Amino acid sequence: MSLPSDATAMSPAVPHGHEESSRLIPSNANPECPEGVSSTRHVDHTEHRARHMRSIKVACAVAVATAAIAGYAFYSVGVPSSPLAGVALDATTDDTATDDSASANAAIAGGGLSGGEHVRVDLSFTVNNDYTNTYGPSGTDYTWLHSGAGDKGEGTTKGNSRRFLVEPHRRTVFALQELPDYLDSKVAKWSLSAVNDYGEKWDAHRTFTGHEVALKVDHVGHYQIKVEMLSTNYAAFTRGELICRYVRREIRSLFDEDRELFFKAIGSMSNVHGARQGELEYGPRFRSLDYFVRKHLQLAADRESDKMHDGMGFLTSHMALSQEFEDAMQTIHPSVALPYWDFTIDSYVVNKTYGGDYTHLWDSEIWGPEWFGRTDPDNMTITEGRWAFQKISMAENTSSPDSVHNAYGYMRAPWNVNKSPYLTRGHKLCGLSAFEFQGFPTCATHREYVDDTYDSFYDWVWGASYAPHGPVHIVIGGTHNCEDDYMALAEEIGDVALTSIQKASFYTLKSAWRVKVVECPSYCSADTAQEDCTCHCPNIDKIADNLEIFQELLLGLNLATIINIEDFSHANLVKIMRMLCNTGTIPGDQLEAASPVDPTFWPIHPTIDRLFQWKKLQSNFGSEAWESPLGTNMTKYCQIGGCEGHHAYDILPFEVYVMNSDTRAFEYVKMSNAELLDAANPTDSKLPYVYDNFQWTHCDEIGVPLRLKGYDDDSVVSGETQSNHGPLW
């Protein structure tokens, strides 16, 4: 087709303030208009000539514009938070984009075209990486991530500007789509802004050419991108915004090489024990695994109160801990994001394949030697694979009041007198299957945390501390060194009461220690036998004879919440108390205050964060007040003690990487619980990561959907590729 000499294509209007960004095709362009329409430039500006050509002009312009802007869909990915200089350009370019390069480059360099009447053509391009090519779009439920962008990313559509999710340090391919024949051989120039350049007019920080280019973005943040094809005769243009975030994915959906990087990062953090050594090798943001174990231990094993669990600060403290850990991993492997572990998949498989026999949970690939490793039941440690005989570090400066350790000097909770130098996993509760406690989280369990079951954040966070993730800690860690003592009571108290006491074995000891009913040795020499190094109740014989003090002891051990004490004689209650006080119960490392030492710890808590985000997006809370809906006077901030760490105003002892609301740049800060909860709002997230999806297809299959009526699925981006044609919602 040939364009009429004064034809002007019909295309989307350019919004105010963007006129200077539009590039127009001059009227002597020749993209093959219908037969009989001359392609020769003929300048005749009389009104008669204009009326004569109007019908041909409109028809031809529609054809050109339609060909240029046809067909797009959406894809998304994640981001990095590591400092580097802009972008690293891959050597991938389109070899065909060489014709007329001299004139195109001259036109680009000149920044303008010759006069005359023009046609504007909008280009389209897709943005993809290997994950989006394999799984489809990521982050499609975050409307802020895909909506049209305006000043500072506030979500106002301007022209054809569109947002794309890209991941830091991950090769991303930008490809022009469905070019008209007359542009197919022309050079495409891409320009990328510096990170967080929100200006209407911005300078290119990096430029590159080709119909298809591959690049890596290094910083979490916001970028502007444009592509243009210019020559003395042709010009086409489009722009977009890149939102760079890390993408957290389910651990089984990671590519093998990325999962390997995750495990290797933990391995490196395990092997570097000194901060100085790690910082010299990986930079100032490096943290060792011991750093996180020590920090969690100091907070969770405080004798006055647990500053991370059993209270309202549970969610935010673990979000901050997880993000600082993720940031430390990225000093070793910058492209790594912390994965989450969807436990409901494991429950689904066990129930569908094995009829609910949870002993088959350990058959999963997750417990293979190259993943988290299986436990040898004889010595309760891992004996093969990458985590075989994982060492527990000795505490430093054990004489310091700030040093938290067990009697043998290991970085374990004071109530855990375990002598073993290796990571311990039990899978039983003093002889009872640990699955007897609460099984394993199911689709039904998690559904309660994304539907309308909990209207207030207060009620939600108290529940989320336990049922949707607690059983995972329990079945991995377990309690041991107590089975014989517990079983000796079977005849006197009966199987029902015995089972209840076994189930509670992991928290009766901790609770009794915290209220100072139980005391544990501060020191046992390396040659002290395990059976000679145990916790005990001081003066238990005298206490048993004093009914008033004995009742206090019962309260300290929470016994009245475990069994109906009215069913037992005083003599039998004394026997129960002696057993609980004097048995050397040892919790597995996943089930005590040093739990971060077990690699399985790290993908557990992002799962609860993901549930929180979906709850917010889907049904939200009626009240997000950091207090009970019944009022401040009825608010229970924690279970025991002064509740430090669980108030809205308490400052979290972790450095998190968040977006500054004023500058829109990311920075490391310490935040209060309330501030971090606000920053984590998924409707306008200021965090450096997103989750890949909020899909539970296995739950849909069994009739327990977690995507519920009331959430507008039409607002979800769909399609097979991420494109700048605009969101299809």
Side-chain angles (χ1 to χ4, degrees), residues 248 296 299 307-325 457 460-462 464-465 469 601-602 605-606 608-610 612 621 624 626 637 643-658 669-681 687 689:
R248 291 182 174 180
H296 191 276
L299 295 167
K307 296 179 174 63
M308 294 197 70
H309 311 90
D310 303 324
M312 288 195 69
F314 160 75
L315 176 70
T316 45
S317 62
H318 284 85
M319 285 171 55
L321 171 71
S322 296
Q323 203 209 106
E324 191 174 44
F325 180 83
F457 173 73
W460 186 94
V461 75
W462 269 108
S465 302
H469 93 289
F601 173 91
W602 294 105
H605 294 95
I608 306 304
D609 181 16
R610 179 174 177 248
F612 166 75
F621 299 101
E624 290 190 49
W626 202 276
Y637 293 103
C643 297
E644 182 182 349
H646 295 288
H647 303 101
Y649 53 78
D650 285 336
I651 301 299
L652 293 159
F654 307 99
E655 286 190 336
V656 292
Y657 197 53
V658 297
V669 296
K670 287 188 176 180
M671 309 182 82
S672 69
N673 281 314
E675 289 170 337
L676 182 55
L677 191 70
D678 178 68
N681 186 342
L687 300 181
Y689 63 86

Coordinates of all heavy atoms in Angstrom, one line a residue, residues 248 296 299 307-325 457 460-462 464-465 469 601-602 605-606 608-610 612 621 624 626 637 643-658 669-681 687 689:
R248 N 9.5 -13.9 45.0 CA 9.6 -15.1 45.8 C 8.7 -16.1 45.2 O 7.5 -15.9 45.0 CB 9.1 -14.7 47.2 CG 10.1 -13.8 48.0 CD 9.7 -13.5 49.4 NE 10.7 -12.8 50.2 CZ 10.6 -12.5 51.4 NH1 9.4 -12.8 52.1 NH2 11.5 -11.8 52.1
H296 N 17.9 -14.4 66.8 CA 16.6 -15.0 67.0 C 16.6 -15.6 68.5 O 15.6 -15.5 69.2 CB 16.3 -16.1 66.0 CG 14.9 -16.7 66.0 ND1 14.5 -17.7 66.9 CD2 13.8 -16.4 65.3 CE1 13.3 -18.0 66.7 NE2 12.8 -17.2 65.7
L299 N 16.2 -13.0 71.2 CA 14.9 -12.5 71.3 C 13.9 -13.5 71.8 O 13.0 -13.2 72.6 CB 14.4 -11.9 69.9 CG 15.2 -10.7 69.4 CD1 14.9 -10.5 67.9 CD2 14.9 -9.5 70.2
K307 N 10.1 -12.4 72.6 CA 9.9 -11.1 71.8 C 9.5 -11.3 70.4 O 9.3 -10.4 69.6 CB 11.1 -10.2 71.9 CG 11.4 -9.8 73.4 CD 12.7 -9.0 73.4 CE 13.0 -8.4 74.8 NZ 13.2 -9.4 75.8
M308 N 9.5 -12.6 69.9 CA 9.2 -12.9 68.5 C 7.9 -13.8 68.3 O 7.4 -13.8 67.2 CB 10.3 -13.6 67.8 CG 11.6 -12.7 67.7 SD 12.8 -13.3 66.5 CE 11.9 -13.0 65.0
H309 N 7.5 -14.5 69.4 CA 6.4 -15.4 69.2 C 5.4 -15.2 70.3 O 5.6 -14.4 71.2 CB 6.9 -16.9 69.4 CG 8.1 -17.2 68.5 ND1 9.4 -17.0 68.9 CD2 8.2 -17.6 67.2 CE1 10.2 -17.3 67.9 NE2 9.5 -17.7 66.9
D310 N 4.3 -15.9 70.2 CA 3.2 -15.8 71.2 C 2.8 -14.4 71.5 O 2.6 -13.9 72.6 CB 3.7 -16.4 72.5 CG 4.1 -17.9 72.3 OD1 3.5 -18.6 71.5 OD2 5.1 -18.3 73.0
G311 N 2.6 -13.6 70.4 CA 2.2 -12.2 70.5 C 2.0 -11.5 69.2 O 2.2 -12.1 68.1
M312 N 1.5 -10.3 69.2 CA 1.1 -9.6 68.0 C 2.3 -9.2 67.1 O 2.1 -8.9 65.9 CB 0.4 -8.3 68.4 CG -1.0 -8.5 69.0 SD -1.9 -7.0 69.0 CE -2.2 -6.7 67.3
G313 N 3.5 -9.3 67.6 CA 4.7 -9.0 66.7 C 5.2 -10.1 65.9 O 6.2 -10.0 65.2
F314 N 4.5 -11.3 66.0 CA 4.9 -12.5 65.3 C 5.1 -12.2 63.8 O 6.2 -12.5 63.3 CB 3.9 -13.6 65.5 CG 4.1 -14.7 64.5 CD1 5.1 -15.6 64.6 CD2 3.1 -14.8 63.5 CE1 5.2 -16.6 63.6 CE2 3.3 -15.8 62.5 CZ 4.3 -16.7 62.6
L315 N 4.1 -11.7 63.1 CA 4.2 -11.5 61.7 C 5.3 -10.6 61.3 O 6.2 -10.9 60.5 CB 2.9 -11.0 61.1 CG 2.9 -10.7 59.6 CD1 3.0 -12.0 58.8 CD2 1.7 -10.0 59.2
T316 N 5.3 -9.4 61.8 CA 6.3 -8.3 61.4 C 7.7 -8.7 61.8 O 8.7 -8.4 61.0 CB 5.9 -7.0 62.0 OG1 5.5 -7.1 63.4 CG2 4.7 -6.4 61.2
S317 N 7.9 -9.3 63.0 CA 9.3 -9.6 63.4 C 9.9 -10.7 62.4 O 11.1 -10.6 62.1 CB 9.3 -10.1 64.8 OG 8.6 -11.3 65.0
H318 N 9.1 -11.6 62.0 CA 9.6 -12.7 61.1 C 9.7 -12.1 59.7 O 10.5 -12.6 58.9 CB 8.7 -13.9 61.2 CG 9.0 -14.7 62.4 ND1 8.3 -14.5 63.6 CD2 9.8 -15.8 62.6 CE1 8.8 -15.3 64.5 NE2 9.7 -16.1 64.0
M319 N 8.8 -11.2 59.3 CA 9.0 -10.5 58.0 C 10.4 -9.8 57.9 O 11.1 -9.9 56.9 CB 7.9 -9.5 57.7 CG 6.6 -10.1 57.4 SD 5.2 -8.9 57.3 CE 5.9 -7.7 56.2
A320 N 10.7 -9.1 59.0 CA 11.9 -8.3 59.1 C 13.1 -9.3 59.1 O 14.1 -9.1 58.4 CB 11.9 -7.4 60.3
L321 N 13.0 -10.3 59.9 CA 14.1 -11.3 60.0 C 14.4 -11.9 58.6 O 15.5 -12.1 58.2 CB 13.8 -12.4 61.0 CG 14.7 -13.6 61.1 CD1 16.0 -13.3 61.7 CD2 14.0 -14.7 61.9
S322 N 13.3 -12.3 58.0 CA 13.4 -13.0 56.7 C 14.0 -12.1 55.6 O 14.8 -12.5 54.8 CB 12.0 -13.5 56.2 OG 11.5 -14.5 57.1
Q323 N 13.6 -10.8 55.7 CA 14.1 -9.9 54.6 C 15.6 -9.6 54.9 O 16.4 -9.5 53.9 CB 13.4 -8.6 54.6 CG 13.5 -7.9 53.3 CD 13.4 -6.4 53.4 OE1 14.4 -5.7 53.3 NE2 12.2 -5.9 53.6
E324 N 16.0 -9.5 56.1 CA 17.5 -9.3 56.4 C 18.3 -10.5 56.0 O 19.4 -10.4 55.4 CB 17.7 -9.0 57.9 CG 19.1 -8.5 58.1 CD 19.3 -8.0 59.6 OE1 18.9 -8.7 60.5 OE2 20.0 -7.0 59.7
F325 N 17.7 -11.7 56.2 CA 18.4 -12.9 55.7 C 18.4 -12.9 54.2 O 19.5 -13.3 53.6 CB 17.6 -14.1 56.3 CG 18.2 -15.4 55.9 CD1 19.2 -16.0 56.6 CD2 17.7 -16.2 54.8 CE1 19.8 -17.2 56.3 CE2 18.2 -17.4 54.4 CZ 19.3 -17.9 55.2
F457 N -7.2 -7.6 62.3 CA -5.8 -8.0 62.2 C -5.4 -8.6 63.5 O -4.6 -9.6 63.6 CB -4.9 -6.8 61.9 CG -3.4 -7.2 62.0 CD1 -2.8 -8.0 61.0 CD2 -2.7 -6.7 63.1 CE1 -1.5 -8.3 61.2 CE2 -1.3 -7.0 63.2 CZ -0.7 -7.9 62.2
W460 N -6.5 -12.1 63.6 CA -5.8 -12.9 62.5 C -4.4 -13.2 62.9 O -3.9 -14.3 62.8 CB -5.7 -12.0 61.2 CG -5.1 -12.7 60.0 CD1 -5.8 -13.4 59.1 CD2 -3.7 -12.8 59.7 NE1 -4.9 -13.9 58.1 CE2 -3.6 -13.5 58.5 CE3 -2.6 -12.3 60.3 CZ2 -2.4 -13.8 57.9 CZ3 -1.3 -12.6 59.7 CH2 -1.3 -13.3 58.5
V461 N -3.6 -12.2 63.5 CA -2.2 -12.5 63.8 C -2.1 -13.4 65.0 O -1.1 -14.2 65.0 CB -1.5 -11.1 64.0 CG1 -1.8 -10.5 65.4 CG2 0.0 -11.3 63.9
W462 N -3.0 -13.4 65.9 CA -3.0 -14.4 67.0 C -3.2 -15.8 66.5 O -2.5 -16.7 66.9 CB -4.0 -14.0 68.1 CG -3.5 -13.1 69.2 CD1 -3.8 -11.8 69.4 CD2 -2.5 -13.5 70.2 NE1 -3.1 -11.3 70.4 CE2 -2.3 -12.3 71.0 CE3 -1.9 -14.7 70.5 CZ2 -1.5 -12.3 72.0 CZ3 -1.0 -14.6 71.6 CH2 -0.8 -13.5 72.3
A464 N -2.6 -16.7 63.2 CA -1.5 -17.0 62.3 C -0.2 -17.5 63.0 O 0.6 -18.1 62.4 CB -1.2 -15.8 61.4
S465 N -0.1 -17.1 64.3 CA 1.1 -17.5 65.0 C 1.2 -19.0 65.2 O 2.2 -19.6 65.5 CB 1.1 -16.9 66.4 OG 1.0 -15.5 66.3
H469 N 1.1 -22.6 60.5 CA 2.5 -22.9 60.3 C 3.2 -23.6 61.5 O 4.2 -24.4 61.3 CB 3.3 -21.6 60.0 CG 3.9 -21.0 61.2 ND1 3.2 -20.3 62.2 CD2 5.2 -20.9 61.7 CE1 4.0 -19.9 63.2 NE2 5.2 -20.2 62.9
F601 N 13.9 -23.8 58.2 CA 13.2 -22.6 58.9 C 12.9 -21.5 57.9 O 11.9 -20.9 57.9 CB 14.2 -22.1 59.9 CG 13.7 -20.8 60.6 CD1 12.9 -20.8 61.7 CD2 14.1 -19.5 60.0 CE1 12.5 -19.6 62.3 CE2 13.7 -18.3 60.6 CZ 12.9 -18.4 61.8
W602 N 13.8 -21.3 56.9 CA 13.8 -20.1 56.1 C 12.6 -20.0 55.1 O 12.1 -18.9 54.9 CB 15.1 -19.8 55.5 CG 16.1 -19.6 56.5 CD1 17.1 -20.4 57.0 CD2 16.2 -18.4 57.3 NE1 17.8 -19.8 58.1 CE2 17.2 -18.6 58.3 CE3 15.5 -17.2 57.4 CZ2 17.6 -17.6 59.2 CZ3 15.8 -16.2 58.3 CH2 16.8 -16.4 59.2
H605 N 8.4 -19.0 57.0 CA 7.7 -17.8 57.3 C 7.2 -16.9 56.2 O 6.2 -16.2 56.2 CB 8.5 -17.0 58.4 CG 8.6 -17.7 59.7 ND1 9.7 -18.5 60.0 CD2 7.7 -17.8 60.7 CE1 9.5 -19.1 61.1 NE2 8.3 -18.7 61.6
P606 N 7.9 -17.0 55.0 CA 7.4 -16.3 53.8 C 6.0 -16.8 53.4 O 5.2 -16.1 52.8 CB 8.4 -16.5 52.7 CG 9.7 -16.7 53.5 CD 9.3 -17.4 54.8
I608 N 3.6 -17.5 55.5 CA 2.6 -16.7 56.3 C 2.5 -15.3 55.8 O 1.4 -14.7 55.7 CB 2.9 -16.7 57.8 CG1 3.1 -18.2 58.2 CG2 1.9 -16.1 58.6 CD1 2.0 -19.1 58.0
D609 N 3.6 -14.7 55.4 CA 3.6 -13.4 54.7 C 2.7 -13.4 53.5 O 1.9 -12.5 53.2 CB 5.0 -13.0 54.4 CG 5.2 -11.6 53.8 OD1 4.2 -10.8 53.8 OD2 6.3 -11.4 53.2
R610 N 2.8 -14.4 52.7 CA 2.0 -14.6 51.5 C 0.6 -14.7 51.8 O -0.3 -14.1 51.1 CB 2.5 -15.8 50.7 CG 1.7 -16.1 49.4 CD 2.4 -17.2 48.6 NE 1.7 -17.6 47.4 CZ 1.0 -18.8 47.3 NH1 1.0 -19.7 48.3 NH2 0.4 -19.1 46.1
F612 N -0.9 -13.4 54.4 CA -1.3 -12.0 54.8 C -1.5 -11.1 53.6 O -2.6 -10.4 53.6 CB -0.2 -11.4 55.7 CG -0.3 -9.9 55.9 CD1 -1.3 -9.5 56.8 CD2 0.5 -9.0 55.2 CE1 -1.4 -8.1 57.0 CE2 0.4 -7.7 55.4 CZ -0.6 -7.2 56.3
F621 N -9.2 -6.5 56.1 CA -9.6 -6.6 57.5 C -10.6 -5.5 57.7 O -10.5 -4.4 57.2 CB -8.4 -6.4 58.4 CG -7.3 -7.4 58.3 CD1 -6.2 -7.2 57.6 CD2 -7.5 -8.7 58.9 CE1 -5.2 -8.2 57.5 CE2 -6.5 -9.7 58.8 CZ -5.4 -9.4 58.1
E624 N -7.6 -2.8 61.3 CA -6.2 -3.1 61.3 C -5.5 -2.5 62.5 O -4.3 -2.4 62.6 CB -5.5 -2.7 60.0 CG -5.9 -3.5 58.8 CD -5.0 -3.2 57.6 OE1 -3.8 -3.1 57.8 OE2 -5.6 -3.0 56.5
W626 N -3.9 -2.0 66.1 CA -2.9 -2.9 66.8 C -3.5 -3.1 68.2 O -2.8 -2.8 69.2 CB -1.6 -2.3 66.8 CG -0.5 -3.3 67.1 CD1 0.0 -3.7 68.3 CD2 0.3 -3.9 66.1 NE1 1.0 -4.6 68.1 CE2 1.2 -4.8 66.8 CE3 0.4 -3.9 64.7 CZ2 2.2 -5.6 66.2 CZ3 1.3 -4.7 64.1 CH2 2.2 -5.5 64.8
Y637 N -1.2 -8.4 74.2 CA -0.1 -8.2 73.3 C 0.8 -9.4 73.2 O 1.4 -9.7 72.2 CB 0.7 -7.0 73.6 CG 0.0 -5.7 73.5 CD1 -0.5 -5.0 74.6 CD2 -0.3 -5.1 72.2 CE1 -1.3 -3.8 74.4 CE2 -1.0 -4.0 72.0 CZ -1.5 -3.3 73.2 OH -2.2 -2.2 73.0
C643 N 5.8 -8.1 77.2 CA 5.4 -8.0 75.8 C 6.3 -7.1 75.0 O 5.8 -6.6 73.9 CB 3.9 -7.5 75.7 SG 2.7 -8.7 76.4
E644 N 7.5 -6.9 75.4 CA 8.4 -6.1 74.6 C 8.6 -6.8 73.2 O 8.7 -8.0 73.1 CB 9.8 -6.0 75.2 CG 10.8 -5.2 74.5 CD 12.2 -5.2 75.1 OE1 12.3 -5.6 76.3 OE2 13.1 -4.7 74.4
G645 N 8.5 -6.0 72.1 CA 8.6 -6.6 70.8 C 7.2 -6.8 70.2 O 7.1 -7.1 69.0
H646 N 6.1 -6.7 70.9 CA 4.8 -7.0 70.4 C 3.9 -5.8 70.4 O 2.7 -5.9 70.0 CB 4.2 -8.1 71.2 CG 4.9 -9.4 71.1 ND1 4.9 -10.2 70.0 CD2 5.7 -10.0 72.0 CE1 5.6 -11.3 70.2 NE2 6.1 -11.2 71.4
H647 N 4.4 -4.6 70.7 CA 3.5 -3.4 70.6 C 3.7 -2.8 69.3 O 4.7 -3.0 68.6 CB 3.9 -2.4 71.7 CG 3.8 -2.9 73.1 ND1 4.9 -3.3 73.8 CD2 2.8 -3.1 73.9 CE1 4.6 -3.7 75.0 NE2 3.3 -3.6 75.1
A648 N 2.8 -2.0 68.8 CA 2.8 -1.3 67.5 C 4.1 -0.4 67.4 O 4.7 -0.3 66.4 CB 1.6 -0.5 67.3
Y649 N 4.4 0.2 68.5 CA 5.5 1.2 68.5 C 6.9 0.5 68.7 O 7.9 1.2 68.6 CB 5.3 2.2 69.6 CG 5.1 1.6 71.0 CD1 6.1 1.2 71.8 CD2 3.8 1.6 71.5 CE1 5.9 0.6 73.0 CE2 3.5 1.0 72.8 CZ 4.6 0.6 73.5 OH 4.4 0.0 74.8
D650 N 7.0 -0.7 69.1 CA 8.3 -1.4 69.3 C 9.1 -1.4 68.0 O 8.6 -1.8 67.0 CB 8.1 -2.8 69.8 CG 7.6 -2.8 71.3 OD1 7.9 -1.8 72.0 OD2 7.0 -3.8 71.7
I651 N 10.4 -1.0 68.1 CA 11.3 -1.0 67.0 C 11.8 -2.4 66.7 O 12.4 -3.0 67.7 CB 12.4 0.1 67.1 CG1 11.8 1.5 67.4 CG2 13.3 0.0 65.9 CD1 11.0 2.0 66.2
L652 N 11.7 -2.8 65.5 CA 12.2 -4.2 65.2 C 13.8 -4.1 65.1 O 14.3 -3.2 64.5 CB 11.7 -4.6 63.9 CG 10.1 -4.9 63.9 CD1 9.6 -4.9 62.5 CD2 9.9 -6.2 64.5
P653 N 14.4 -5.1 65.7 CA 15.9 -5.1 65.7 C 16.5 -5.6 64.4 O 17.6 -6.3 64.5 CB 16.2 -6.0 66.9 CG 15.1 -7.0 66.9 CD 13.9 -6.2 66.4
F654 N 15.9 -5.3 63.3 CA 16.5 -5.8 62.0 C 16.5 -4.6 61.0 O 15.6 -3.8 61.1 CB 15.6 -6.9 61.4 CG 15.4 -8.1 62.4 CD1 14.2 -8.2 63.1 CD2 16.3 -9.1 62.5 CE1 14.0 -9.2 64.0 CE2 16.1 -10.1 63.4 CZ 14.9 -10.2 64.1
E655 N 17.4 -4.6 60.1 CA 17.5 -3.6 59.1 C 16.7 -4.1 57.9 O 17.0 -5.2 57.3 CB 18.9 -3.3 58.7 CG 19.6 -2.4 59.7 CD 21.0 -1.9 59.2 OE1 21.5 -2.5 58.2 OE2 21.4 -0.9 59.7
V656 N 15.7 -3.4 57.5 CA 14.9 -3.8 56.3 C 15.1 -2.8 55.2 O 15.4 -1.7 55.4 CB 13.4 -4.0 56.7 CG1 13.2 -5.1 57.6 CG2 12.9 -2.7 57.3
Y657 N 14.9 -3.3 54.0 CA 15.1 -2.5 52.8 C 13.8 -2.1 52.2 O 13.0 -3.0 51.8 CB 15.9 -3.3 51.7 CG 16.5 -2.6 50.6 CD1 17.4 -1.5 50.9 CD2 16.3 -2.9 49.3 CE1 18.0 -0.8 49.8 CE2 16.9 -2.3 48.2 CZ 17.7 -1.2 48.5 OH 18.4 -0.5 47.5
V658 N 13.4 -0.8 52.4 CA 12.1 -0.4 52.0 C 12.1 0.9 51.2 O 13.1 1.6 51.2 CB 11.2 -0.2 53.3 CG1 11.0 -1.4 54.0 CG2 11.8 0.9 54.2
V669 N 16.5 0.7 56.7 CA 16.1 1.4 57.9 C 15.6 0.4 59.0 O 15.4 -0.8 58.7 CB 14.9 2.3 57.6 CG1 15.3 3.4 56.7 CG2 13.7 1.5 57.0
K670 N 15.5 0.8 60.2 CA 14.8 0.0 61.2 C 13.5 0.6 61.5 O 13.3 1.9 61.5 CB 15.7 0.0 62.5 CG 16.9 -0.8 62.5 CD 17.6 -1.0 63.8 CE 18.8 -1.9 63.7 NZ 19.5 -2.1 65.0
M671 N 12.5 -0.2 61.5 CA 11.1 0.3 61.6 C 10.4 -0.3 62.8 O 10.8 -1.3 63.4 CB 10.3 -0.2 60.3 CG 11.0 0.2 59.0 SD 10.1 -0.3 57.6 CE 8.9 1.1 57.5
S672 N 9.3 0.3 63.2 CA 8.4 -0.2 64.2 C 7.5 -1.3 63.6 O 7.4 -1.4 62.4 CB 7.5 0.9 64.8 OG 6.6 1.3 63.9
N673 N 6.9 -2.1 64.5 CA 5.9 -3.1 64.0 C 4.9 -2.5 63.1 O 4.6 -3.0 62.0 CB 5.3 -3.8 65.1 CG 6.1 -4.8 65.8 OD1 6.7 -5.7 65.1 ND2 6.2 -4.8 67.1
A674 N 4.3 -1.3 63.5 CA 3.2 -0.7 62.8 C 3.7 -0.2 61.4 O 3.1 -0.2 60.4 CB 2.6 0.4 63.6
E675 N 5.0 0.4 61.4 CA 5.5 0.9 60.2 C 5.8 -0.2 59.2 O 5.5 0.0 58.0 CB 6.8 1.7 60.5 CG 6.6 3.0 61.2 CD 7.9 3.6 61.7 OE1 8.9 2.9 61.9 OE2 7.9 4.9 62.0
L676 N 6.3 -1.3 59.6 CA 6.6 -2.4 58.7 C 5.3 -3.0 58.1 O 5.1 -3.3 57.0 CB 7.4 -3.5 59.3 CG 7.8 -4.6 58.4 CD1 8.5 -4.2 57.1 CD2 8.7 -5.6 59.1
L677 N 4.3 -3.1 59.0 CA 3.0 -3.6 58.6 C 2.4 -2.7 57.5 O 1.8 -3.2 56.5 CB 2.0 -3.7 59.7 CG 0.7 -4.5 59.5 CD1 1.0 -6.0 59.3 CD2 -0.3 -4.3 60.6
D678 N 2.5 -1.4 57.6 CA 2.1 -0.5 56.6 C 2.9 -0.6 55.3 O 2.3 -0.6 54.2 CB 2.1 1.0 57.1 CG 1.7 2.0 56.1 OD1 0.5 2.0 55.8 OD2 2.6 2.8 55.6
A679 N 4.2 -0.7 55.4 CA 5.0 -0.9 54.2 C 4.7 -2.2 53.5 O 4.9 -2.2 52.3 CB 6.5 -0.8 54.6
A680 N 4.2 -3.2 54.2 CA 4.0 -4.5 53.6 C 2.6 -4.5 52.9 O 2.2 -5.6 52.4 CB 4.1 -5.6 54.6
N681 N 1.8 -3.5 53.0 CA 0.5 -3.4 52.3 C 0.6 -3.8 50.8 O 1.3 -3.0 50.1 CB -0.1 -2.1 52.5 CG -1.6 -2.0 52.0 OD1 -2.0 -2.9 51.3 ND2 -2.3 -1.0 52.5
L687 N 8.0 -2.8 49.7 CA 9.0 -3.9 50.0 C 9.7 -4.2 48.7 O 9.2 -4.0 47.6 CB 8.4 -5.1 50.6 CG 7.7 -4.9 51.9 CD1 7.1 -6.2 52.4 CD2 8.6 -4.3 53.0
Y689 N 10.2 -7.0 47.3 CA 9.9 -8.3 46.7 C 8.4 -8.4 46.5 O 7.6 -7.6 47.2 CB 10.3 -9.5 47.6 CG 9.7 -9.5 49.0 CD1 8.4 -10.1 49.2 CD2 10.3 -8.8 50.1 CE1 7.9 -10.0 50.5 CE2 9.7 -8.8 51.3 CZ 8.5 -9.4 51.5 OH 7.9 -9.4 52.8

